[in-house]
Amino acid sequence: MTPVTVYFTCIGCGIVYSASQERSATYTNTFGTFECRQCGKLVHHWAGLYDYNEWRIASVLPQQPKMRNEIRG
């Protein structure tokens, strides 16, 4: 089966990663995690028939301004 490229965005710092998604050749459950190389936050975890490898940085999203909650009364 041909691998498919999938994209995941880190919720911590906004880096977009690409990974190769492949169905397990043995049809057994595979599992794993990937953490951001920049900030260490969990980007993706999986369990099932698909495995993810060849993780690469695809792009870096611009920093978004932080929103403040203001209470007006």
Side-chain angles (χ1 to χ4, degrees):
M1 189 169 199
T2 304
V4 174
T5 301
V6 291
Y7 296 89
F8 301 93
T9 303
C10 175
I11 61 170
C13 63
I15 291 178
V16 178
Y17 290 95
S18 67
S20 177
Q21 178 191 47
E22 297 183 63
R23 188 176 180 124
S24 172
T26 59
Y27 300 102
T28 59
N29 285 335
T30 61
F31 61 92
T33 62
F34 180 77
E35 295 174 351
C36 181
R37 295 177 184 142
Q38 179 70 30
C39 70
K41 296 238 184 217
L42 179 67
V43 174
H44 187 61
H45 64 90
W46 61 93
L49 294 177
Y50 294 95
D51 197 11
Y52 298 86
N53 50 49
E54 299 180 26
W55 288 86
R56 295 188 175 131
I57 293 176
S59 66
V60 178
L61 297 177
Q63 289 285 346
Q64 299 295 319
K66 296 195 178 203
M67 302 298 289
R68 278 189 5 201
N69 289 333
E70 294 184 16
I71 300 174
R72 297 181 186 198

